[in-house]
Amino acid sequence: MSYYDIDAILTDAEKIPCTFQLDIPDLGYLDNAPDRPLKAGTKVNLPFWLAEMLAIANAGDVDGKQYITFDLPPALSNDVVQALKADPRSVPLRDQSAHFYALATRMMELSDEPELASVLRKTFVTRASEIALHARKVGGVGHSKGKGSEEGSNLGIGGAGEEFLRGLDEWERKLFRKAHDGAKATKEWMETIKRH
Amino acid sequence: MALPLPPGLTPAEVSFLAEMELVTVIPRQRLDSIELLSGKTPPLRPPHRADLPLWLALLLKKQRRANILPPPWLHPDSLREIIHQETTVDPQAFSEPPPARHPRADPARPGRTLPIHQDDDGFILSPPFRPGSCTADAPVGFLPYHWLEVAEMLLAHAADDIGAPAGEVRGLLRDLVEVRAAKLRNSTSVLEGFGGGLMSLRGVGAMELAESRGFVLSVVDGVRKIGASTEAARREAEEEEEGADASDEDMGL
């Protein structure tokens, strides 16, 4: 992860639900009450980078209390995980978060979620083969439109395919691009071979 | 940012390398041996067959000075057998690469075969460097490393030498490409379970690798990232266990 990686920065800006464990003066504006101190037990959505620092840092109390505890963000809630378990292909991940996998891996670094990890792994791999299929198809159709030769593929992109592609998160979009570039390069080579 | 090309070879580079494969030609005119960097070509004397690099064979073919003998695996029957193998016999794995060295007749001892696995230069077992996989005495029913490139080039420039109707061969090749592309896509599913993170790419051709390299690498990398925290936790637990064992032993001593 590079310092200038825009996706990493955007992932860090995702909000996660946190609960404050201590009273904190002068932070009331986070809870829309600027004139009062922030009470312990208040739930606030904080960006990941802030929540991470506060969750790890020790408040310096004798009890070793943390400033906040955090929950999984709605994108990784039980509903979503159950839906992914049922059928990974039918969940539009982008609606949950544009950086779904990146956020999930960051969360898993903070708290141990073995079940989440295995569900995500299955989801990623299952969706990957679907993505590769679409990447090949789109290449065929675009190609036949562009040059008017060769049928490319008889499958075409139907409504369902388009919907699936709209639901890809950033990782999956990159995957799609790579698969598409590969298929396109090979197709172009097939064309050049006949010319000389 | 620095280099616009993705890692690995582009299809054009792969097909350039494929032109180094030897093919068998039947010359129509005499041609003396040519000294090339990789060694001398055999002198051409019609009607004796000779093995030439594909690029030279195609050049001579265009000048109508030689005919190319298609490799045996390009015959429709051989292709059909491979498709059968890929679709029905073993729908999961790719068909086997050609055997390291199929037995050949020993010219010195009639009726016997040359010992297998032995070459003048020692053992050459890995596909890109295996000689003679596209010549007339290549084994039937096995796809060599550069199968797609050699087949496409022969179909494009020497279709009249193929023997079988070019349309039929082309159709079979297209089927084979589709079957294997689908397999490569679905082979990612073996990465599903923890601990099973191995994809077998045995028998996959050079052009197929060039096409899917970016995709396969990204999938493997994604799986690695998703499993990174679990893996780290597992390692820590293991180390702790080892540490505990070590301290036990210390106590014993």
Side-chain angles (χ1 to χ4, degrees):
Chain A
M1 213 186 297
S2 150
Y3 183 78
Y4 294 105
D5 185 353
I6 195 74
D7 286 323
I9 295 169
L10 289 172
T11 308
D12 273 356
E14 295 271 348
K15 297 272 175 62
I16 62 173
C18 303
T19 315
F20 275 87
Q21 301 293 311
L22 300 168
D23 287 351
I24 299 170
D26 298 338
L27 264 186
Y29 62 86
L30 283 180
D31 198 25
N32 274 336
D35 48 343
R36 272 173 286 152
L38 195 66
K39 286 267 172 28
T42 320
K43 287 194 178 186
V44 184
N45 281 335
L46 294 178
F48 186 88
W49 56 269
L50 183 58
E52 185 185 22
M53 295 314 288
L54 291 177
I56 291 174
N58 197 310
D61 212 324
V62 255
D63 314 339
K65 249 190 182 173
Q66 290 167 324
Y67 286 104
I68 58 162
T69 56
F70 60 87
D71 295 315
L72 287 177
L76 298 172
S77 65
N78 200 28
D79 293 350
V80 178
V81 172
Q82 292 305 327
L84 284 179
K85 251 196 219 165
D87 184 7
R89 282 158 224 243
S90 61
V91 183
L93 289 184
R94 201 173 187 81
D95 294 356
Q96 302 304 325
S97 161
H99 302 274
F100 181 81
Y101 291 110
L103 178 67
T105 45
R106 292 304 300 273
M107 288 306 295
M108 285 190 288
E109 276 169 26
L110 277 189
S111 64
D112 217 10
E113 307 274 351
E115 202 212 335
L116 181 62
S118 67
V119 170
L120 279 182
R121 184 170 168 145
K122 187 151 188 275
T123 307
F124 184 66
V125 164
T126 318
R127 287 170 69 98
S129 51
E130 187 84 0
I131 290 165
L133 180 68
H134 284 292
R136 223 177 137 87
K137 269 200 257 173
V138 171
V141 171
H143 181 77
S144 64
K145 266 185 203 158
K147 289 184 185 161
S149 64
E150 286 263 302
E151 77 287 10
S153 163
N154 51 358
L155 291 161
I157 33 174
E162 229 167 295
E163 204 168 281
F164 174 74
L165 292 180
R166 222 177 287 126
L168 298 185
D169 98 316
E170 280 307 314
W171 281 22
E172 291 174 330
R173 288 205 169 182
K174 277 188 193 146
L175 206 59
F176 179 83
R177 176 138 213 110
K178 291 231 164 108
H180 180 61
D181 284 351
K184 199 169 134 223
T186 312
K187 212 157 254 169
E188 277 171 5
W189 164 75
M190 290 263 200
E191 292 295 310
T192 56
I193 226 175
K194 283 162 201 152
R195 263 185 263 134
H196 54 127
Chain B
M1 260 177 272
L3 191 66
L5 289 173
L9 298 177
T10 63
E13 288 164 339
V14 171
S15 77
F16 179 78
L17 292 178
E19 290 187 7
M20 307 257 272
E21 284 284 343
L22 292 180
V23 292
T24 308
V25 297
I26 308 172
R28 293 190 188 179
Q29 293 177 5
R30 296 175 77 90
L31 181 72
D32 282 338
S33 160
I34 310 170
E35 278 197 49
L36 300 173
L37 279 178
S38 53
K40 284 183 181 176
T41 62
L44 302 185
R45 266 185 218 90
H48 295 288
R49 295 173 175 189
D51 291 349
L52 291 182
L54 181 59
W55 60 270
L56 185 58
L58 288 177
L59 192 74
L60 293 178
K61 166 73 189 165
K62 273 182 208 161
Q63 297 174 345
R64 296 164 183 278
R65 290 159 73 182
N67 286 87
I68 298 177
L69 266 180
W73 50 262
L74 196 55
H75 194 273
D77 288 343
S78 164
L79 289 178
R80 239 174 256 126
E81 187 191 318
I82 298 172
I83 292 178
H84 176 73
Q85 165 80 23
E86 297 250 354
T87 50
T88 42
V89 179
D90 193 352
Q92 300 301 319
F94 295 93
S95 59
E96 290 277 302
R101 193 72 187 266
H102 54 288
R104 283 196 306 174
D106 190 341
R109 297 174 302 162
R112 304 228 183 150
T113 51
L114 284 170
I116 303 179
H117 292 330
Q118 269 189 17
D119 217 306
D120 301 339
D121 310 325
F123 302 97
I124 301 182
L125 299 176
S126 87
F129 312 106
R130 194 180 289 158
S133 52
C134 294
T135 54
D137 56 355
V140 181
F142 294 100
L143 291 178
Y145 190 56
H146 285 297
W147 65 277
L148 184 55
E149 305 88 293
V150 172
E152 286 288 332
M153 274 188 259
L154 287 181
L155 277 175
H157 302 295
D160 48 335
D161 285 349
I162 297 275
E168 189 187 358
V169 177
R170 218 180 281 270
L172 287 168
L173 275 177
R174 186 107 337 140
D175 289 353
L176 201 52
V177 167
E178 287 299 326
V179 167
R180 289 165 67 96
K183 251 181 217 186
L184 201 54
R185 277 200 298 276
N186 293 328
S187 62
T188 53
S189 59
V190 300
L191 297 173
E192 224 170 73
F194 283 106
L198 270 180
M199 274 174 80
S200 173
L201 294 180
R202 183 173 151 83
V204 182
M207 191 55 80
E208 295 162 296
L209 285 180
E211 180 179 343
S212 309
R213 181 174 277 114
F215 171 71
V216 170
L217 288 185
S218 303
V219 171
V220 173
D221 199 41
V223 168
R224 179 186 64 78
K225 279 190 207 156
I226 290 172
S229 57
T230 320
E231 177 69 14
R234 192 181 63 80
R235 260 197 209 155
E236 254 170 45
E238 242 171 44
E239 260 167 38
E240 261 171 37
E241 237 169 61
E242 270 174 28
D245 287 350
S247 61
D248 283 354
E249 279 167 25
D250 286 349
M251 295 295 278
L253 283 172

